[in-house]
Amino acid sequence: MPNPLYDQLFGQHAGKATPFLYLPDGSQISHADFLEKAAQIAHVLTAAGVKAGDRVAAQIEKSPEALALYAACTQTGAVFLPLNVAYTIDELTYFIENSEARLVVCGTSQREGLLDVVTPLGARLETLDAHGGGTLMAQAARMETSYPTVDRDAGDLAAFLYTSGTTGRSKGAMLTQGNLLSNAKTLVDAWQFTSEDVLSHALPIFHTHGLFVATNIILASGGAMIFLPKFDVDQMITQMPHATSMMGVPTFYTRLLEDERFTGDLVCHFRLFVSGSAPLLAETHKRFEARTGHRILERYGMTETNMNTSNPYRGERRAGTVGFPLPGVDVRITDVETEKVLPAGEVGHIEVRGPNVFKGYWQMPEKTAAELRENGFFITGDLGRIDEDGYLHIVGRDKDLIISGGYNIYPKEIELVLDEQPGVLESAVIGVPHADFGETVLGLLVMEPGCDIDLDAISETVSNALARFKHPRKLLLVDSLPRNTMGKVQKNLLRDQYKDIFTPV
Ligand code: MCA
Ligand code: AMP
């Protein structure tokens, strides 16, 4: 019986002793062993009452078992909801409540804090640690190593990924089996992945890039991954002789270039380097080519759409562009005011349509209707133009968003916390250039007249409420915020004023 995502990513490898994961301790996990582990976890899910369509939320460290939980969700038809390990309890509470998760899997140290959240919802809580410890695998060890795959079809939900919004409230993007599978197959073809590939995998697996791009491509093609817990330059350099390809955010590339052990000789056998999630500076592209002889292949995607465009595998990889629409994906540029389709060369909204585009936001029909047109085009919130040769250039954003080291940060979410602090009249949070993270967060505060303000206390409150990567790297007191005639804060003026604050000229 069919379950397209499970069958074509996982099931096709059943019983094969071929390598799937190479781990930093020198051990490896074959496809067959991995699938047996996944089947055992699938039995645990079923025993916990998880049924097809139920959400399984996971805030767990990257590990082979964490990946096997994704496979188990696919096999049981559950909807996998991976969460950034940096999220605080406050942030997690919203995701768990909003998604109505049936099962939550967290690290052992988070268990106590989450019990109070999960218990009133009638959900189950299991634990999984970085090295496979915890209650999930303890139960799995007692289970059968095969599981009868649950029927699903391409339109059924496979995953929820939360993406923040300009209002500060996160939205659950609903991704179907068909969204994930079509994109994985398209990318295998576009980037010519085969079972000979060994991907250096240092991305987190709670986002599209590390899970649905990197991992799904390797599963679909039958290749293997050097599965690293996180990005660490030393570990990357040690493992590179064994890899054929790598995917990363721009920070990976700038950090590698800063290390003199990263040479052309080290990667002369490489087939492909891919960058995405944030703009790759043309300068980084050029430095990388000068150092290694490889031209990084830059592509463009979103949580809601998976991958939309890519520079060509064969042909000119043009620095500062994100290439051409992938096969089956339509890209158009529309006027921000009139919404009319614009001719090549003009700047407007980037809209995309295709089998990769999500089904909508969970329980948010108005937001879905505002961003996903009836004709199937999704309004990305990115601004761009298509040049005379058909390459897409992203020139800015029509959404108030900061991308720091590949993580999206919505200023509104931070401003809502800052505005509540004693003595704060109002705040503005902006992204400013940062050599390592590309952009970083700056908080500007206006004091209530006659009040004192305790910046340390405010920083501490922010730390408890929001994940570390969202914390302003600096809080500054200012007299007032510049506003336009409509009363809207002119963040472009602030970004310009503070552009050198972390990268002095
Ligand atoms: C960690 N920190 C960060 C970030 N990451 N702060 C701001 N921005 C970040 N991205 C915090 C740490 O908690 C730490 O805080 C301090 O910054 C420095 O830590 P560091 O050792 O540098 O952290 P790291 O572990 O090296 O992390 C940097 C990183 C990581 C390797 C760039 O953030 C990363 O793997 N980013 C990839 C994100 C990603 O996968 N994005 C894809 C989203 P303290 O100093 O207090 O200790 S999917 C997507 O965007 C779409 C679909 C697409 O197109 O792909
Ligand atoms: P997310 O919502 O985390 O999936 O992030 C998607 C956003 O990341 C897009 O809307 C873009 O603003 C940005 N993005 C992804 N890839 C690129 C890229 N290659 N260049 C510039 N921005 C990118």
Side-chain angles (χ1 to χ4, degrees):
M1 294 300 241
N3 176 326
L5 191 65
Y6 182 81
D7 297 343
Q8 293 177 55
L9 293 188
F10 301 102
Q12 60 158 333
H13 306 299
K16 290 189 192 159
T18 39
F20 174 42
L21 301 177
Y22 294 104
L23 303 176
D25 65 3
S27 63
Q28 63 183 67
I29 298 178
S30 68
H31 283 104
D33 288 348
F34 176 80
L35 292 179
E36 289 187 0
K37 208 184 279 255
Q40 291 181 305
I41 299 174
H43 281 292
V44 180
L45 301 188
T46 303
V50 173
K51 301 207 168 45
D54 286 345
R55 272 75 61 205
V56 173
Q59 192 198 34
I60 44 184
E61 295 291 341
K62 184 176 176 184
S63 69
E65 290 78 11
L67 205 55
L69 176 62
Y70 163 52
C73 286
T74 309
Q75 196 168 18
T76 56
V79 178
F80 188 51
L81 197 174
L83 293 159
N84 194 323
V85 287
Y87 288 145
T88 62
I89 290 276
D90 283 1
E91 290 166 313
L92 288 177
T93 304
Y94 171 79
F95 299 127
I96 294 168
E97 288 179 355
N98 183 264
S99 67
E100 298 159 10
R102 155 79 57 165
L103 172 69
V104 178
V105 186
C106 66
T108 300
S109 56
Q110 274 80 44
R111 186 175 180 277
E112 207 171 306
L114 277 177
L115 257 185
D116 291 345
V117 179
V118 166
T119 313
L121 300 173
R124 283 281 290 266
L125 187 62
E126 302 291 349
T127 56
L128 175 59
D129 295 326
H131 299 289
T135 60
L136 185 79
M137 297 317 292
Q139 294 170 70
R142 299 193 289 271
M143 299 293 186
E144 296 271 329
T145 54
S146 69
Y147 180 92
T149 304
V150 172
D151 281 0
R152 296 269 86 189
D153 69 43
D156 285 324
L157 294 184
F160 266 26
L161 287 189
Y162 275 85
T163 152
S164 292
T166 42
T167 57
R169 225 176 132 223
S170 290
K171 304 168 283 186
M174 300 188 287
L175 293 153
T176 65
Q177 286 217 343
N179 294 149
L180 303 183
L181 196 54
S182 64
N183 216 232
K185 287 180 173 172
T186 300
L187 294 173
V188 167
D189 286 348
W191 299 341
Q192 302 196 5
F193 271 85
T194 70
S195 56
E196 301 292 302
D197 270 291
V198 179
L199 181 82
S200 175
H201 192 301
L203 287 158
I205 55 168
F206 44 69
H207 277 312
T208 297
H209 197 163
L211 192 61
F212 301 144
V213 183
T215 304
N216 283 0
I217 286 182
I218 288 300
L219 284 162
S221 63
M225 298 192 272
I226 300 174
F227 204 59
L228 303 170
K230 65 180 290 238
F231 181 83
D232 172 85
V233 173
D234 290 342
Q235 222 169 29
M236 292 296 282
I237 287 175
T238 309
Q239 302 289 341
M240 263 172 179
H242 311 292
T244 63
S245 46
M246 171 187 145
M247 292 181 197
V249 296
T251 301
F252 286 19
Y253 292 102
T254 50
R255 287 189 185 180
L256 283 170
L257 284 169
E258 268 161 34
D259 197 301
E260 58 190 24
R261 294 169 300 167
F262 181 68
T263 61
D265 281 350
L266 186 74
V267 292
C268 61
H269 62 290
F270 254 65
R271 190 178 69 75
L272 183 62
F273 290 93
V274 180
S275 176
S277 307
L280 182 76
L281 294 179
E283 184 216 328
T284 311
H285 199 282
K286 289 184 184 125
R287 277 177 64 212
F288 196 87
E289 186 177 12
R291 176 86 66 93
T292 66
H294 291 283
R295 285 179 80 85
I296 298 173
L297 184 154
E298 187 172 8
R299 56 54 173 186
Y300 161 56
M302 285 188 77
T303 299
E304 290 91 333
T305 65
N306 291 291
M307 298 304 103
N308 300 311
T309 71
S310 171
N311 268 280
Y313 185 75
R314 297 201 187 286
E316 188 196 349
R317 297 179 193 166
R318 200 171 277 184
T321 82
V322 290
F324 309 113
L326 285 162
V329 179
D330 298 320
V331 175
R332 65 181 197 180
I333 306 293
T334 55
D335 188 281
V336 174
E337 303 297 330
T338 65
E339 302 189 353
K340 287 217 173 89
V341 178
L342 293 170
E346 292 193 26
V347 172
H349 270 146
I350 302 173
E351 298 191 13
V352 298
R353 177 170 70 182
N356 51 318
V357 173
F358 76 143
K359 204 168 177 167
Y361 296 114
W362 169 247
Q363 291 178 338
M364 289 187 178
E366 306 82 27
K367 292 228 183 292
T368 303
E371 292 176 37
L372 187 57
R373 295 184 192 279
E374 272 176 16
N375 64 7
F377 273 100
F378 177 69
I379 307 164
T380 61
D382 292 311
L383 299 173
R385 72 179 166 84
I386 295 175
D387 70 19
E388 61 286 2
D389 298 321
Y391 288 83
L392 178 65
H393 299 239
I394 300 177
V395 300
R397 298 175 201 138
D398 191 38
K399 48 191 175 190
D400 193 10
L401 165 70
I402 300 167
I403 305 184
S404 166
Y407 286 144
N408 284 13
I409 301 165
Y410 280 84
K412 187 74 190 171
E413 192 183 358
I414 305 165
E415 288 162 0
L416 287 173
V417 177
L418 293 175
D419 288 346
E420 277 180 6
Q421 302 315 305
V424 174
L425 180 66
E426 59 175 356
S427 65
V429 168
I430 56 169
V432 287
H434 188 273
D436 187 31
F437 289 131
E439 275 184 294
T440 197
V441 183
L442 176 68
L444 302 165
L445 301 173
V446 180
M447 253 190 319
E448 298 256 23
C451 279
D452 272 343
I453 217 167
D454 183 346
L455 290 181
D456 291 339
I458 293 179
S459 294
E460 198 180 323
T461 308
V462 171
S463 303
N464 293 331
L466 301 172
R468 171 73 184 115
F469 67 89
K470 300 177 189 170
H471 299 176
R473 292 287 148 148
K474 206 184 262 275
L475 286 175
L476 287 183
L477 287 177
V478 294
D479 292 337
S480 62
L481 299 173
R483 290 182 184 277
N484 65 14
T485 47
M486 309 290 286
K488 196 169 175 233
V489 176
Q490 291 173 298
K491 289 200 171 175
N492 51 336
L493 297 184
L494 292 171
R495 280 191 286 265
D496 194 48
Q497 184 178 352
Y498 294 103
K499 66 181 186 305
D500 299 324
I501 194 161
F502 291 107
T503 48
V505 275

